Amino acid sequence: MGRMSLLVSPELCIGCRGCQTACKEWNQLEGEKTENRGTTENPPDLSTNTYNKIRYVELPSEKNPARLLFVSQRCMHCGDAGCMKICPAPGALFRTDEGAVAFDKDKCIGCRLCVTSCPFNVPRYDADNKVSKCTLCADRISQGLTPSCAKTCPTGALRYGDRDELLGLAKKAGYTKVYGDKDLEGLGAMYAFTDAPVIYGMNDSPAIPESVVFWNNVLKPLSYLGLAGVAAAAVFHYVAFGPKK
Amino acid sequence: MLKKVCSLEILVHWTKAISFFILVISGFGFMFHMEGVGSAFGGFNQMKTIHNWVGVVFAGALFLTIFHYLPVALKFTSDDVTWLTKAGGYLSKKAQLPPQDEINAGQRCLSHYRPHSHLHGDTCQSRDTADNDLRQCTC
């Protein structure tokens, strides 16, 4: 099976937030108590009970005094996922056959390293100190179904399908550059932006923190080398000089 | 029998030694996803708790060591220079070394290096006592 992903087209989004509700319904996530913060963007941030949300970006200009951008926020299911790189508990974060990054709460040890290594600030911890985030509805897509957010989207702003096909679709619609096409070995949630990504509140070049890359590519191999070196030196000394010399 | 270290030093030494190995084994278990190590500790969840608390014990013992040996480690004489230029006699069996006090120059250097780097050697360990100028422990 090819890698599956989402294609987000903010220009098509009408901000109905049906995706937020559908996500809560399928994943059985509780609603959140809200308050009037002067905007219909709600809730204000991702949480253990909010795997996806629509970010509202107000961009009034002379030409268009009421320009409002709706940007779907969620786990991006990176091809090169920082969270999976640093997670010390085997199987707590894993990749599904479809290419999504899913979690297993039973295996999570609550160290929160995934929070520090995520380029998009996505993972949240619940009251039991276990990881939670969008899994691209891993249980649905494994059965060939569409993630509930994309299934419910009435305008096609959220589309789910084969990653290459979606890229082709975006190119055909006139988007020469798709956000997440190549970043971090390709994101599992791509964005068809008509403006610079920063305007939509996205990082121009998302990257895993340097400390995580350094730890994974340098310190980790070094520690194996160190352990092997100590063992080799001990064996050498034993063979060359004997045990008590 | 000459007494070189006191019982507190021995206790701290072994606390550090045992906790160090627990930390190394569980740390490697986490780093390289060793399922066997995880189950030996009773699952990764429990291994995390053990790793965290043993870390506190290790840090405490390390703190005690550093302060206990700081006055000794700060003494640096010409004998230490000689010791260092001869690489502590580790490269030859015939090297003549000047007498050292509680700790030798190598251990002295290590004890200064350690607090900054978080790497662990052990100044308490003084095996080549034959030529050493032994004195009573003062703790």
Side-chain angles (χ1 to χ4, degrees), chain A residues 226-244:
Chain A
L227 196 66
V230 167
V235 169
F236 173 77
H237 189 271
Y238 191 88
V239 171
F241 300 103
K244 282 181 179 168

Side-chain angles (χ1 to χ4, degrees), chain B:
Chain B
M1 194 176 75
L2 277 166
K3 200 167 174 246
K4 197 181 175 190
V5 289
C6 63
S7 45
L8 175 71
E9 281 173 287
I10 296 169
L11 179 73
V12 169
H13 170 78
W14 284 106
T15 308
K16 242 176 358 171
I18 294 165
S19 58
F20 173 77
F21 279 105
I22 295 173
L23 288 174
V24 166
I25 294 164
S26 54
F28 268 93
F30 281 127
M31 200 183 237
F32 298 99
H33 288 185
M34 295 164 168
E35 299 268 11
V37 175
S39 25
F41 277 88
F44 274 76
N45 263 302
Q46 196 171 312
M47 184 155 84
K48 185 195 98 169
T49 315
I50 293 171
H51 187 85
N52 285 355
W53 285 107
V54 172
V56 172
V57 170
F58 179 80
L62 188 63
F63 187 80
L64 278 176
T65 310
I66 289 165
F67 279 84
H68 186 80
Y69 280 94
L70 201 58
V72 189
L74 283 174
K75 280 189 288 180
F76 204 80
T77 62
S78 57
D79 279 349
D80 290 310
V81 179
T82 319
W83 191 94
L84 285 174
T85 51
K86 293 189 174 172
Y90 284 109
L91 303 177
S92 154
K93 294 219 182 285
K94 288 171 197 142
Q96 291 294 309
L97 292 167
Q100 305 282 304
D101 50 25
E102 286 109 307
I103 62 173
N104 65 37
Q107 294 168 321
R108 196 158 271 151
C109 293
L110 195 63
S111 80
H112 288 301
Y113 159 75
R114 181 179 49 193
H116 307 294
S117 64
H118 298 256
L119 286 170
H120 343 288
D122 195 2
T123 47
C124 212
Q125 209 175 52
S126 198
R127 278 165 300 169
D128 46 343
T129 51
D131 316 322
N132 281 5
D133 166 24
L134 288 165
R135 47 176 92 157
Q136 281 296 108
C137 172
T138 49
C139 63

Side-chain angles (χ1 to χ4, degrees), chain A residues 39-237:
Chain A
T39 169
T40 38
E41 176 181 2
N42 195 55
D45 198 8
L46 297 176
S47 76
T48 52
N49 282 324
T50 306
Y51 290 174
N52 74 338
K53 70 169 280 257
I54 299 292
R55 181 197 290 135
Y56 286 33
V57 184
E58 287 181 49
L59 276 178
S61 65
E62 272 188 27
K63 213 174 88 192
N64 186 353
R67 190 174 176 206
L68 200 51
L69 301 173
F70 304 116
V71 193
S72 171
Q73 258 185 296
R74 69 182 63 252
C75 171
M76 309 291 257
H77 305 284
C78 314
D80 178 25
C83 57
M84 289 184 62
K85 236 180 198 157
I86 204 158
C87 180
L93 287 164
F94 60 96
R95 195 168 295 281
T96 69
D97 292 342
E98 298 79 19
V101 179
F103 61 82
D104 181 345
K105 284 200 190 207
D106 288 339
K107 290 186 175 157
C108 173
I109 60 169
C111 69
R112 294 178 187 244
L113 282 171
C114 52
V115 175
T116 57
S117 60
C118 176
F120 299 101
N121 182 25
V122 167
R124 296 289 186 273
Y125 272 72
D126 64 16
D128 300 327
N129 206 24
K130 302 280 180 187
V131 70
S132 62
K133 66 173 198 67
C134 159
T135 63
L136 204 60
C137 286
D139 47 352
R140 288 179 63 88
I141 59 176
S142 65
Q143 302 303 311
L145 300 171
T146 304
S148 59
C149 57
K151 177 85 179 164
T152 210
C153 181
T155 64
L158 275 177
R159 255 173 298 187
Y160 170 79
D162 183 85
R163 197 166 182 276
D164 296 330
E165 278 175 28
L166 287 176
L167 268 171
L169 217 66
K171 296 259 155 76
K172 224 161 89 185
Y175 294 95
T176 48
K177 207 169 166 267
V178 175
Y179 184 83
D181 177 8
K182 297 273 190 293
D183 299 298
L184 298 158
E185 290 175 16
L187 300 180
M190 302 176 291
Y191 290 75
F193 289 148
T194 49
D195 255 317
V198 233
I199 292 178
Y200 296 85
M202 301 299 245
N203 194 336
D204 264 331
S205 46
I208 299 170
E210 284 298 321
S211 56
V212 175
V213 175
F214 178 73
W215 175 84
N216 191 65
N217 298 353
V218 180
L219 289 185
K220 217 168 146 178
L222 259 184
S223 63
Y224 251 1
L225 218 66
L227 196 66
V230 167
V235 169
F236 173 77
H237 189 271

